[in-house]
Amino acid sequence: MSTVRRSALVLTALSALALTGCGPAEDDAAGGTGTTPAASPSTTPSKTPSTPSAGSSSSGGGSSADHDVFPCSTHDVTFTASLAEPTTSSYLLKVTNRSTKACRALGHPVVTFGDLDGQATERGTAPGIEDALRLEPGESAYAGLMGGADDGRGRTVGSIAMTMNTESDLEQTPLGATTPGLYVAPDTNSVTPWVNNVEDALSL
């Protein structure tokens, strides 16, 4: 009988150990399911590089947009001429961008005098196309037109016509302006390049 009891006690102890060993196994299984959210940190860094790439593309777009600013033509602007100095028959020419896009006022205006042949002589150096005056919608550019002092060899005209320099074969409709008393001397008439203020236009 003592042998049977001893065997029963051994079996009881082994069963207790077996049950105790099952506890940690279940805890480990629970811990395994808790590692699933680790996928979240791995997705967060993957979104980080997308922010700089978006910024770099927008800056590049601004640069290319600037290169898409074309020369102003008479289709893009309004035109006026006002007397500035009667002694030298000087007129202030003004164009204003009436379009919905920016354009560049290139070089000198191309000015003809009434029914006279030829055009005004260019005076002063104009910037290249990349540095030409940029006109946003509603902005203006100015140029100074000088007919010249009365030397007895010229003629007086009552109007002028102007087209823009586009450095292309684009067809333009000349824009006219009245110029009462504009004396045109054959050798001294001239026109300045487009600038962004009245003072420079009349002093170049």
Side-chain angles (χ1 to χ4, degrees):
M1 290 297 290
S2 62
T3 302
V4 173
R5 288 176 180 174
R6 189 180 297 112
S7 299
L9 289 172
V10 170
L11 290 173
T12 302
L14 289 175
S15 298
L17 287 173
L19 290 172
T20 304
C22 292
E26 291 175 357
D27 291 342
D28 289 344
T33 58
T35 60
T36 303
S40 296
S42 67
T43 57
T44 302
S46 67
K47 296 179 181 179
T48 304
S50 64
T51 302
S53 64
S56 60
S57 71
S58 65
S59 63
S63 176
S64 63
D66 193 58
H67 289 295
D68 291 338
V69 179
F70 296 102
C72 303
S73 73
T74 55
H75 305 293
D76 304 311
V77 300
T78 59
F79 171 61
T80 60
S82 54
L83 182 63
E85 172 53 57
T87 305
T88 56
S89 285
S90 295
Y91 275 77
L92 176 67
L93 310 184
K94 175 184 177 182
V95 290
T96 301
N97 183 359
R98 66 181 181 88
S99 72
T100 58
K101 299 187 300 182
C103 63
R104 295 189 184 276
L106 290 191
H108 299 71
V110 180
V111 179
T112 56
F113 302 100
D115 59 354
L116 299 181
D117 293 332
Q119 63 190 49
T121 303
E122 294 181 354
R123 182 171 83 249
T125 302
I129 185 170
E130 293 183 357
D131 298 318
L133 185 60
R134 174 177 174 142
L135 299 182
E136 297 294 336
E139 291 185 339
S140 299
Y142 306 88
L145 174 68
M146 185 175 69
D150 189 346
D151 59 3
R153 298 186 303 115
R155 281 181 51 189
T156 299
V157 297
S159 65
I160 59 173
M162 187 279 303
T163 55
M164 301 293 290
N165 180 357
T166 62
E167 294 189 354
S168 70
D169 56 0
L170 175 69
E171 291 188 10
Q172 300 181 68
T173 302
L175 300 179
T178 57
T179 54
L182 173 59
Y183 183 83
V184 183
D187 302 323
T188 57
N189 71 80
S190 60
V191 65
T192 70
W194 294 114
V195 294
N196 62 0
N197 64 88
V198 173
E199 183 178 357
D200 286 346
L202 296 177
S203 60
L204 290 175

